[in-house]
């Protein structure tokens, strides 16, 4: 892992880090002036300070609703200003940036597809530099769990003079049927926070959940893990929404969700109890590392034996048996079998790498 980059982060005036949770909410798409106004009024009553809505919608296939563009920007700004809120929208090109800032949008966000494209990110960063506007910019994670792409997008903006940055975790695309629309893979935003501890990180539970009835569950998970806030899709009448109808809450449902959230105190690192338990974890980790060294030494001996006997490095039957037995042991011990399979697979991959080096260099 490379060294943590340094981002020059100014105080973000619409979301100070000691105000938790920060909540940004609004419809997936701005569909009409009336829709934006009705939604904004209800969200204002719920205590929301930043109104979000998409003007341009990056759709997977052509022919779907792709937003009303610059016309939608006027609806977003008008609704926000009438309700004393700040306005936010997604941008992906230089033209989007110029149009959004020209219309008076206060906060910009970068979507997952744009974050994943360094050329598009550089275009947006260069345009913001040319505009000489240090506006708040929210950067969603890329579609794949690539932390370097995410950090790279943030760095491009920061080098262009954008210091009011926040990250938004919206989950990652995965193939097949799953419990969520986008897999959360929480370890990625956790690692982002470790490397950029001063960067506020929000969670987008709408895009992770994909279903309105599970948005609250994901939001609570984010709060339990110490996220700074939420970015939630809300529509005055989700059933008629032109995009992402399934995952949008009504403003009333959002208000109920926020009232039900349990906010956890951030742990006090100086607590004697925490320090004692962490010391115990450190001792266990030391033993785990020593056992890994011992296991790899035995694996190396097996590699030398395979070299002498002319045997293939990978023995599929042995590997399958190993995985099956460890999964059963894990379940009997009260551990998650999938976690143990993943752990064994990682250890086995390193063993194979070492044995291949022995065989190829023998």
């Amino acid at each position: 892992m490379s060294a943590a980059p340094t981002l020059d982060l100014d105080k973000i005036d619409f979301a100070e880090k000691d105000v938790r949770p920060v909540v940004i909410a609004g419809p997936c798409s701005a569909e009409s002036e009336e829709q934006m106004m009705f939604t904004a009024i209800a969200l204002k009553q719920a205590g929301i300070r930043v109104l979000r809505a998409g003007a341009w919608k990056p759709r997977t296939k052509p022919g779907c609703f792709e937003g009303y563009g610059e016309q939608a920007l006027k609806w977003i700004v008008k609704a926000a200003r009438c309700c004393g809120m700040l306005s936010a929208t997604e941008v992906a090109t230089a033209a989007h940036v110029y149009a959004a800032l020209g219309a008076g949008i206060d906060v910009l966000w970068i979507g997952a597809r744009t974050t994943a494209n360094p050329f598009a990110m550089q275009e947006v960063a260069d345009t913001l530099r040319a505009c000489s506007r240090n506006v708040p910019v929210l950067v969603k994670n890329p579609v794949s769990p690539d932390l370097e792409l995410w950090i790279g997008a943030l760095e491009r903006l920061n080098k262009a003079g954008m210091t009011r940055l926040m990250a938004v975790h919206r989950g990652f695309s995965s193939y097949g049927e799953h419990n969520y629309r986008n897999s959360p893979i929480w370890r990625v935003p956790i690692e982002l926070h470790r490397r950029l501890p001063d960067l506020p990180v929000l969670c987008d539970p709408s895009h992770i959940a994909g279903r309105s009835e599970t948005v609250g569950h994901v939001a609570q998970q984010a709060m339990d893990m110490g996220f700074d806030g939420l970015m939630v899709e809300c529509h005055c009448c989700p059933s008629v929404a032109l995009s992402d109808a399934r995952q949008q809450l009504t403003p009333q449902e959002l208000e109920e969700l926020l009232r039900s959230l349990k906010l956890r105190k951030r742990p006090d690192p100086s607590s004697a109890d925490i320090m004692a338990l962490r010391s115990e974890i450190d001792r266990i980790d030391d033993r785990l590392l020593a056992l890994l060294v011992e296991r790899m030494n035995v694996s190396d001996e097996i590699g030398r034996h395979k070299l002498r006997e002319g045997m293939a490095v990978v023995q599929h039957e042995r590997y399958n048996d190993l995985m099956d037995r460890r999964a059963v042991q894990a379940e009997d011990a009260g551990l998650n079998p999938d976690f143990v399979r993943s752990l064994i697979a990682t250890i086995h991959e390193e063993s194979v790498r070492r044995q291949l080096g022995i065989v190829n260099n023998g």
Side-chain angles (χ1 to χ4, degrees):
M1 192 68 67
S2 59
T6 300
L7 298 188
D8 178 20
L9 296 170
D10 288 346
K11 180 180 179 182
I12 298 175
D13 50 13
F14 74 92
E16 292 89 354
K17 287 197 73 175
D18 58 351
V19 177
R20 183 171 175 264
V22 173
V23 182
I24 300 170
C28 174
S29 305
E31 301 164 356
S32 70
E33 183 175 325
E34 293 76 16
Q35 170 239 16
M36 288 305 307
M37 193 64 70
F38 285 141
T39 305
I41 291 170
L43 289 174
K44 177 67 174 180
Q45 293 173 347
I48 305 304
R49 297 171 60 191
V50 185
L51 176 69
R52 57 138 288 159
W56 302 275
K57 300 306 300 178
R59 309 308 293 273
T60 301
K61 295 182 179 179
C64 300
F65 173 68
E66 295 182 326
Y68 287 111
E70 293 190 30
Q71 184 181 12
L73 295 174
K74 299 175 184 177
W75 304 334
I76 300 167
V77 171
K78 182 177 181 180
R81 288 182 178 171
C82 285
C83 294
M85 305 166 76
L86 297 177
S87 56
T89 200
E90 178 179 354
V91 295
T93 67
H96 291 173
V97 173
Y98 284 123
L101 296 182
I105 292 289
D106 301 296
V107 180
L108 305 178
W109 86 77
I110 310 297
R113 291 178 174 89
T114 308
T115 304
N117 184 338
F119 293 112
M121 279 307 312
Q122 193 61 54
E123 177 183 330
V124 169
D126 291 342
T127 307
L128 286 168
R129 186 200 300 272
C131 291
S132 299
R133 294 276 299 280
N134 186 15
V135 296
V137 184
L138 316 176
V139 183
K140 292 195 172 186
N141 60 258
V143 291
S144 61
D146 189 330
L147 180 61
E148 302 308 321
L149 266 180
W150 200 358
I151 291 178
L154 289 157
E155 287 182 320
R156 289 176 191 277
L157 292 167
N158 193 238
K159 289 180 178 180
M162 301 301 106
T163 61
R164 301 162 73 189
L165 299 174
M166 300 179 81
V168 181
H169 175 48
R170 47 81 76 190
F172 304 95
S173 298
S174 56
Y175 182 75
E177 295 292 328
H178 301 279
N179 293 331
Y180 298 113
R181 175 182 177 181
N182 292 308
S183 178
I185 314 182
W186 297 108
R187 68 177 181 273
V188 179
I190 289 171
E191 177 63 12
L192 175 72
H193 179 68
R194 187 190 71 81
R195 293 177 59 180
L196 298 173
D198 294 326
L199 178 74
V201 183
L202 308 185
C203 178
D204 177 348
S206 303
H207 278 88
I208 291 175
R211 295 178 291 126
S212 59
E213 58 266 29
T214 55
V215 168
H217 173 70
V218 176
Q220 185 60 63
Q221 283 187 302
M223 292 299 97
D224 291 345
M225 285 185 282
F227 279 69
D228 296 291
L230 304 168
M231 187 176 189
V232 187
E233 289 193 345
C234 287
H235 193 291
C236 56
C237 188
S239 62
V240 299
L242 299 180
S243 58
D244 281 351
R246 187 72 182 85
Q247 67 192 37
Q248 297 192 68
L249 304 178
T250 65
Q252 294 73 28
E253 288 171 336
L254 175 62
E255 190 171 9
E256 292 172 8
L257 185 159
L258 295 178
R259 279 202 302 264
S260 69
L261 279 181
K262 296 179 177 65
L263 300 183
R264 315 295 183 187
K265 293 189 299 183
R266 299 188 188 278
D268 178 3
S270 64
S271 162
D273 290 340
I274 287 289
M275 291 176 67
L277 290 169
R278 286 176 174 170
S279 294
E280 182 63 20
I281 286 287
D282 289 342
R283 287 193 291 272
I284 294 170
D285 285 347
D286 288 342
R287 297 206 306 270
L288 283 173
L289 285 173
L291 285 171
L292 280 174
V293 170
E294 185 178 341
R295 191 189 193 283
M296 290 303 164
N297 288 338
V298 175
S299 180
D300 290 349
E301 283 298 322
I302 292 174
R304 286 186 277 272
H305 176 80
K306 289 175 179 176
L307 173 63
R308 290 192 299 270
E309 300 297 325
M311 298 171 62
V313 167
V314 178
Q315 308 291 318
H316 295 288
E317 289 184 3
R318 157 70 179 169
Y319 179 63
N320 292 336
D321 176 64
L322 175 68
M323 293 292 276
D324 291 342
R325 284 190 291 110
R326 297 302 181 227
V328 171
Q329 285 180 289
E331 195 158 15
D332 291 343
L335 294 172
N336 184 336
D338 289 337
F339 160 70
V340 172
R341 286 191 189 95
S342 175
L343 179 62
I344 294 297
T346 300
I347 294 173
H348 182 262
E349 181 180 357
E350 175 62 10
S351 295
V352 169
R353 186 193 68 80
R354 294 168 68 105
Q355 290 183 20
L356 283 172
I358 292 170
V359 169
N360 291 333
N361 295 325

